[in-house]
Structures are given as C-alpha cells and as structure tokens.
C-alpha cells in the first residue's frame, strides 16, 4: 500500500505540471515509469478495493500520458509555425 501511495503522489505531481504545461517531457517520462510500476504490482491477494484503485490509477496515468503527448505535439507545431 505504501508503494501505491507513492505512485499516487507522483501521479499528482505529473497532473500539476501538465496543468501548467511545463516540463512536459519530464511528466511523460515519469508517467511511463508509473505505468510500468502499476502494471508490475501483482493483483493476486489484493483486496477488491486495492485492485479497483490500481485500475483507476492505470487509467489516469494513460490519460495523462496521452495528454502529455498531445501537448508536446502542439508545442512542436507552434515551434514550426513560429519559425516560418
């Protein structure tokens, strides 16, 4: 459960920096690591509540990861447009 709490803390950090649209590359890298970590936690022996929590976290991580990718794409497009 401590491991899950740490993942949630890191996830909140990523949400904050993505909301500010700052350090998006860092957020994306952290989210990649968080996704690997969440997927590596064995579900056997966990309560239904913890299993649901992990599933919700994985969904949030994936959504934020796609948001980070979209923001990076927008930044690249803005960069191309501004350099013309």
């Amino acid at each position: 459960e401590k491991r899950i709490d740490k993942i949630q803390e890191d996830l909140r950090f990523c949400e904050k920096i993505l909301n500010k649209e700052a350090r998006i590359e860092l957020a994306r890298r952290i989210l990649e690591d968080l996704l690997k970590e969440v997927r590596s936690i064995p579900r056997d022996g966990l309560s239904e509540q913890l299993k649901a929590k992990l599933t919700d976290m994985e969904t949030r991580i994936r959504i934020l990861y796609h948001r980070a990718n979209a923001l990076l794409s927008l930044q690249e497009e803005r960069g191309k447009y501004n350099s013309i």
Side-chain angles (χ1 to χ4, degrees), residues 3-4 6-14 27-41 57-58 61 64:
R3 191 171 169 190
I4 293 172
K6 174 67 174 133
I7 293 170
Q8 280 188 306
E9 183 181 318
D10 290 344
L11 187 53
R12 281 191 295 274
F13 171 76
C14 287
R28 186 173 69 170
R29 181 69 185 135
I30 292 170
L31 290 165
E32 288 171 354
D33 292 343
L34 291 177
L35 188 57
K36 287 177 191 172
E37 190 167 350
V38 165
R39 288 180 173 169
S40 75
I41 296 173
M57 286 172 52
E58 183 175 346
I61 292 167
L64 288 174

Side-chain angles (χ1 to χ4, degrees), residues 48-67:
E48 290 303 314
Q49 183 181 2
L50 279 179
K51 287 179 186 178
K53 193 175 191 177
L54 284 172
T55 300
D56 291 345
M57 286 172 52
E58 183 175 346
T59 301
R60 281 177 59 207
I61 292 167
R62 290 174 46 216
I63 290 168
L64 288 174
Y65 181 79
H66 290 294
R67 182 174 175 208

